[in-house]
Amino acid sequence: MCRLSLYSFVVLLGANINSRILSTQIKVKGGKVMYFVTSKDGTKIAYDKIGQGPALILVAGAFSYRKFTQQVELANLLSEHFTVYNYDRRGRGDSSDTQPYHVDREIEDLQSLIDEAGGSAYIWGLSSGAVLSLLAAKKMESITKLALHEPPFVVKEEDRKAPKDFRSHLTSLISKNNRDEAIKYFMVKGMGAPSLVVSMMRIMPGVWSKLMAVAHTLPYDAALLDGYMDGKELSTECWSSIQIPTLVLEGTESPSSLRNSAKALASVLPHSQLVSKKGLGHTKKLHTKKISHELLTFFTENH
């Protein structure tokens, strides 16, 4: 939730009455400008806008937010060719959070940003953000091109699967305000990270506090993946309505489950292309220069 006492002034930019979108520009200390758009249910979605060109919205994955260092790097690189909208998903960073949560509310958040961008936009989604972007594309005609970066579906029986009660157990931990345990559970049982890695992250300066700050949104990521982590093949019929050009990215260094997911998704989307290259994985770090190169190529080519 933003605290207005931190800001020097608020300027009302305008409202789209039909879609109930209200845009606000706020100048923070140091002269930097932060933007807000009001989603359909009243949630304030914070975003940064940089660059010039066609609108491109970045949709982050679990634990990420718009001030995440590599997210900022990617936005800066892409801003040489696009107007980049880098936003905090609801409940993260400077965005507010309206209960009860539903996946449709996050899709409405994305639509509010697209409306603010002029009514159409390119989308890049990472991990669970890729799943959100994919689900949005099923419902919205305002997405003109879609880039999906390692969506964490589990599409093969032999791949590691999350527990059947993954979402409910995670939600229970958060309802008890047990954020430490929720982070560990999500990473180990959901992402497959070794327990030792999680323990090391606890003592890394500044890392654990940032994870704690967004841990309450982990059930939202689990909700996005609900029904897609059980080792079943993706249905062509389910995704055939997505008729826009789509890029699916995967790193050759990524775990097999992510690579299997990317290949499966590319095979069921009607107008998709799969790019598999070393350095496109996201589990350790984002190689922003490599990613931006692939995105620039895709978003600027004619289809």
Side-chain angles (χ1 to χ4, degrees):
M1 181 71 71
C2 63
R3 294 165 55 188
L4 293 181
S5 60
L6 295 176
Y7 309 125
S8 56
F9 68 86
V10 176
V11 180
L12 189 64
L13 292 181
N16 180 330
I17 296 175
N18 291 331
S19 59
R20 291 183 284 178
I21 304 301
L22 187 66
S23 175
T24 304
Q25 175 181 315
I26 294 176
K27 183 175 285 187
V28 300
K29 290 181 178 180
K32 294 183 179 180
V33 174
M34 174 168 58
Y35 300 88
F36 287 92
V37 67
T38 303
S39 193
K40 188 175 180 180
D41 69 346
T43 302
K44 304 292 185 182
I45 302 299
Y47 67 96
D48 295 323
K49 182 171 68 172
I50 183 174
Q52 290 185 332
L56 170 57
I57 299 175
L58 308 183
V59 186
F63 294 113
S64 296
Y65 57 103
R66 80 182 200 284
K67 294 301 184 184
F68 179 61
T69 301
Q70 291 164 9
Q71 189 93 352
V72 174
E73 289 177 2
L74 183 61
N76 288 337
L77 288 168
L78 293 168
S79 69
E80 297 178 12
H81 304 275
F82 307 98
T83 301
V84 180
Y85 292 76
N86 184 20
Y87 79 105
D88 286 328
R89 285 172 52 190
R90 61 173 51 209
R92 307 181 189 193
D94 293 297
S95 291
S96 63
D97 197 11
T98 304
Q99 297 298 318
Y101 175 83
H102 194 280
V103 169
D104 286 347
R105 303 293 81 77
E106 287 224 69
I107 294 175
E108 290 167 358
D109 298 345
L110 191 50
Q111 181 64 66
S112 72
L113 284 162
I114 295 175
D115 290 343
E116 183 63 23
S120 64
Y122 304 149
I123 302 291
W124 169 79
L126 174 67
S127 194
S128 64
V131 180
L132 170 57
S133 303
L134 184 66
L135 295 174
K138 286 188 67 175
K139 294 190 173 187
M140 294 154 45
E141 296 182 355
S142 51
I143 299 174
T144 53
K145 285 187 178 182
L146 183 63
L148 305 172
H149 197 158
E150 295 196 328
F153 295 146
V154 181
V155 298
K156 290 185 176 293
E157 181 62 34
E158 63 268 24
D159 286 339
R160 186 196 54 77
K161 295 182 283 293
K164 292 185 181 297
D165 64 344
F166 179 69
R167 180 184 176 186
S168 61
H169 184 68
L170 189 62
T171 301
S172 176
L173 290 172
I174 292 299
S175 69
K176 298 172 184 176
N177 201 31
N178 193 346
R179 295 193 180 199
D180 279 276
E181 189 59 32
I183 293 169
K184 180 179 178 181
Y185 183 77
F186 188 91
M187 286 187 166
V188 175
K189 298 298 184 180
M191 298 170 62
S195 297
L196 179 60
V197 171
V198 179
S199 297
M200 291 175 62
M201 294 177 74
R202 288 177 179 268
I203 60 175
M204 294 172 65
V207 172
W208 199 254
S209 61
K210 291 178 180 178
L211 298 180
M212 288 284 285
V214 295
H216 62 288
T217 65
L218 292 176
Y220 305 172
D221 296 290
L224 286 164
L225 289 163
D226 203 19
Y228 299 110
M229 300 180 72
D230 52 9
K232 295 180 181 178
E233 294 183 359
L234 297 179
S235 166
T236 301
E237 182 179 358
C238 180
W239 306 108
S240 61
S241 63
I242 300 178
Q243 294 291 322
I244 57 175
T246 304
L247 173 70
V248 183
L249 295 174
E250 62 145 340
T252 56
E253 74 278 16
S254 293
S256 60
S257 60
L258 287 176
R259 301 197 65 197
N260 290 336
S261 170
K263 291 180 175 66
L265 186 57
S267 71
V268 299
L269 293 173
H271 303 287
S272 67
Q273 56 179 293
L274 175 68
V275 173
S276 304
K277 291 183 180 179
K278 184 177 181 180
L280 293 180
H282 80 279
T283 56
K284 294 181 179 179
K285 65 172 294 185
L286 294 180
H287 294 275
T288 53
K289 289 185 178 180
K290 293 182 179 181
I291 295 167
S292 64
H293 172 76
E294 298 301 333
L295 295 180
L296 177 61
T297 300
F298 170 67
F299 286 128
T300 57
E301 66 185 4
N302 294 322
H303 289 271

